[in-house]
């Protein structure tokens, strides 16, 4: 794959790389995206599932939806895009993955510096006393807290909820300090997460977008690559290996 010469030059001098990822990076692992052609929200409404009031109105339905998604995630593996991002750590001083995904696939692929802005579907906690709760299987029906009897919810960030503040602050810093910010597989419409690449850009970082379709951010990046992240990220890694020989 032919990469833009300007990007190759940036890669040669870069010390710090930030990957900002979304659901599209996991699409090739078989996990559906939210929006777009095959997005789950073409069929299900986010406001009926991804907010706290929806959970209170119908906790069993929301829980069942998360259990269904956990099953898909457990049965899948990271793909070439996740693995290639993890391998960047061999070639650059600072590599940070800032992800909106809750699927844990970056860590499973070996990335060591991962900030999860929208939580992690493998964790749960009590809505009343915040006690963490570990589910035994993807089939378990909605559990109650052993301490206070409260409802157990997934540890993900729903609409109207705050993002984990420390992870967000560290992501902003990594973005501001980065030489290159690679935005992969996100529609970049959900805020405040979508501020991360903008923070990088304002601080002078070189922005590269990898997506199968144009997005909100395409007009703002230095280099837009149309393609699957599972193919484009490994191609960039190959170029890096070549130049570091
Ligand atoms: C491929 C590919 C391949 C496919 N290769 N590419 C400012 C302006 C407007 C609105 C707001 C604003 N600030 C806040 C808001 C409100 C709201 C928001 O952003 N709404 C907009 C949608 C309008 N934000 C919030 O509510 C946030 N909280 C907040 O603001 O709190 C404020 C507050 C203040 C004070 C007190 C309290 C609160 C929280 C947002 C939480 C988002 N949560 C979700 C669900 C997580 C749990 C779960 O998984 O169930 O996070 S929503 C969903 O969208 C999920 C994702 O992480 C997120 C982003 O989606 P993503 O990853 O970009 O996926 P897609 O599907 O959109 O895109 C996939 C892309 O991949 C596409 O572009 C494809 O083309 C591409 N693709 N295959 C490469 N192989
Ligand atoms: Zn409790």
């Amino acid at each position: 794959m032919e990469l833009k010469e300007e990007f190759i030059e940036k890669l040669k001098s870069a010390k710090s790389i930030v990957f900002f990822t979304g659901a599209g990076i996991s699409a090739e692992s078989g996990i559906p995206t939210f929006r777009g052609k095959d997005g789950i929200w073409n069929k299900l409404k986010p406001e009926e599932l991804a907010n706290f009031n929806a959970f209170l109105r119908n906790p069993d339905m929301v829980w069942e939806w998360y259990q269904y998604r956990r099953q898909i995630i457990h049965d899948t593996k990271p793909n070439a895009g996740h693995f290639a991002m993890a391998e960047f750590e061999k070639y650059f001083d600072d590599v940070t993955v800032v992800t909106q995904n809750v699927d844990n696939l970056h860590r499973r692929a070996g990335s060591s510096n991962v900030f999860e802005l929208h939580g992690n579907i493998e964790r749960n906690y009590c809505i009343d006393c915040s006690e963490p709760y570990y589910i035994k299987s993807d089939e378990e029906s909605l559990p109650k807290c052993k301490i206070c009897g409260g409802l157990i919810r997934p540890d993900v960030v729903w609409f109207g909820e705050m993002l984990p503040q420390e992870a967000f602050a560290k992501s902003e810093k990594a973005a501001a300090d980065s030489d290159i910010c690679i935005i992969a597989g996100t529609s970049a419409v959900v805020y405040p997460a979508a501020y991360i690449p903008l923070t990088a850009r304002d601080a002078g970082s070189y922005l590269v977008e990898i997506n199968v379709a144009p997005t909100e951010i395409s007009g703002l990046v230095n280099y837009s690559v149309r393609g699957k992240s599972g193919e484009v990220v490994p191609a960039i890694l190959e170029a890096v290996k070549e130049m570091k020989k």
Side-chain angles (χ1 to χ4, degrees):
M1 163 179 232
E2 197 70 33
L3 296 168
K4 195 170 163 178
E5 196 49 45
E6 180 187 72
F7 177 41
I8 299 283
E9 288 307 312
K10 291 280 171 192
L11 281 167
K12 281 182 185 158
S13 59
K15 294 195 164 37
S16 169
I17 311 253
V18 166
F19 289 100
F20 177 66
T21 69
I25 175 87
S26 298
E28 289 156 81
S29 292
I31 303 176
T33 59
F34 293 93
R35 303 167 188 84
K37 195 168 63 65
D38 301 316
I40 43 177
W41 285 351
N42 295 334
K43 298 172 211 102
L44 301 162
K45 286 202 171 72
E47 58 272 23
E48 279 168 23
L49 291 161
N51 74 68
F52 189 63
N53 286 336
F55 180 64
L56 290 184
R57 260 198 314 274
N58 200 340
D60 287 305
M61 182 184 78
V62 174
W63 182 259
E64 205 179 300
W65 188 57
Y66 280 94
Q67 287 291 62
Y68 164 71
R69 288 175 52 207
R70 276 185 185 115
Q71 215 161 47
I72 297 176
I73 290 165
H74 283 177
D75 292 347
T76 192
K77 288 195 287 290
N79 63 56
H82 297 102
F83 285 119
M85 285 185 192
E87 221 182 313
F88 267 68
E89 292 182 18
K90 289 188 194 158
Y91 302 99
F92 296 93
D93 294 346
D94 280 312
V95 179
T96 305
V97 177
V98 178
T99 189
Q100 298 163 89
N101 297 346
V102 299
D103 58 26
N104 210 26
L105 291 184
H106 284 298
R107 287 217 183 80
R108 280 171 62 189
S111 281
S112 58
N113 198 20
V114 182
F115 297 123
E116 293 166 323
L117 297 185
H118 292 160
N120 186 315
I121 201 169
E122 292 186 357
R123 300 189 303 256
N124 301 275
Y125 66 94
C126 168
I127 64 167
D128 291 323
C129 75
S130 304
E131 179 73 8
Y133 186 92
Y134 298 96
I135 53 164
K136 287 169 221 80
S137 94
D138 302 338
E139 268 123 57
E140 193 175 335
S141 53
L142 181 70
K144 294 270 170 59
C145 176
K146 295 208 169 55
I147 298 170
C148 78
L151 289 171
I152 301 296
R153 63 165 283 179
D155 190 357
V156 298
V157 180
W158 285 327
F159 285 110
E161 295 183 331
M162 296 272 282
L163 272 59
Q165 292 301 288
E166 193 184 329
F168 189 70
K170 287 184 173 167
S171 302
E172 277 191 307
K173 180 161 184 347
D177 292 345
S178 69
D179 299 310
I180 297 175
C181 176
I182 300 179
I183 305 142
T186 177
S187 56
V189 293
V190 175
Y191 283 86
Y195 284 127
I196 295 299
L198 303 180
T199 301
R201 182 172 170 267
D202 290 349
S205 184
Y206 186 85
L207 263 54
V208 181
E209 178 185 54
I210 302 167
N211 201 302
V212 291
T215 72
E216 293 288 308
I217 211 167
S218 302
L220 300 173
V221 300
N222 298 90
Y223 180 27
S224 208
V225 188
R226 281 291 147 268
K228 293 183 173 182
S229 48
E231 292 167 7
V232 179
V233 186
I236 299 172
L237 179 67
E238 278 315 306
V240 168
K241 285 181 180 170
E242 199 57 39
M243 73 181 62
K244 303 265 177 180
K245 255 185 196 163

